[in-house]
Amino acid sequence: AATPYAQTALVFSFLKSGTFVLGDKTASNALATTPTPTVTWWGSQWYKLNALFSGATLPSAMKGFGATLNAEPPVCGGNYTTVTGNSPPPPPATTIPSYMGVAVSSGVTMSGSTISGNITSIVVVKTNTGYQPDPSHPGTGTVIATFCHT
């Protein structure tokens, strides 16, 4: 008798340019917890709502958007930079995918007005409604899969 095989495909998209970011501890905890908790990938409280395994304090100026990547789309083992505040602005709400590839960082540092981070993983986030490219309208969702990990 033939053995039945089932396959599942998960279709997701990256942003046209740049990437949203989660802390590595935040992403790992979300994947290990049932039911999956909501994570924040953008907003004025991003630095309080994300955590790193290293325990390092995240810069309060980081809102969760890595504007410049060393590779587009983002890659595991890559890195990103951005500047403080809401500049450059993140993408408009109409361009946010329902299932989005989000960078996971184990290190986020600030030097002057430049914020830099590494990309240790990329996870797929099912995005919630409500995001706006204004830090007072956070971007949230649930982590549903890991795309790659270094």
Side-chain angles (χ1 to χ4, degrees), residues 9-145:
L10 176 60
V11 178
F12 71 96
S13 300
F14 290 106
L15 298 175
K16 183 177 178 180
S17 180
T19 186
F20 288 107
V21 180
L22 292 172
D24 61 351
K25 186 174 182 180
T26 299
S28 180
N29 288 348
L31 284 165
T33 305
T34 303
T36 306
T38 299
V39 295
T40 299
W41 40 266
W42 163 258
S44 61
Q45 301 299 305
W46 182 91
Y47 74 103
K48 290 182 181 178
L49 300 172
N50 279 272
L52 304 178
F53 279 118
S54 69
T57 302
L58 293 165
S60 62
M62 176 60 161
K63 306 302 180 229
F65 181 62
T68 305
L69 304 173
N70 71 325
E72 292 277 359
V75 295
C76 284
N79 57 60
Y80 62 88
T81 59
T82 196
V83 294
T84 58
N86 197 28
S87 180
T94 56
T95 65
I96 301 301
S98 298
Y99 291 85
M100 177 172 60
V102 173
V104 176
S105 192
S106 66
V108 181
T109 59
M110 190 166 100
S111 177
S113 63
T114 301
I115 298 171
S116 303
N118 62 349
I119 301 172
T120 58
S121 317
I122 295 172
V123 295
V124 178
V125 173
K126 181 179 181 192
T127 59
N128 295 335
T129 59
Y131 160 82
Q132 291 295 321
D134 171 333
S136 65
H137 294 89
T140 63
T142 52
V143 179
I144 60 169

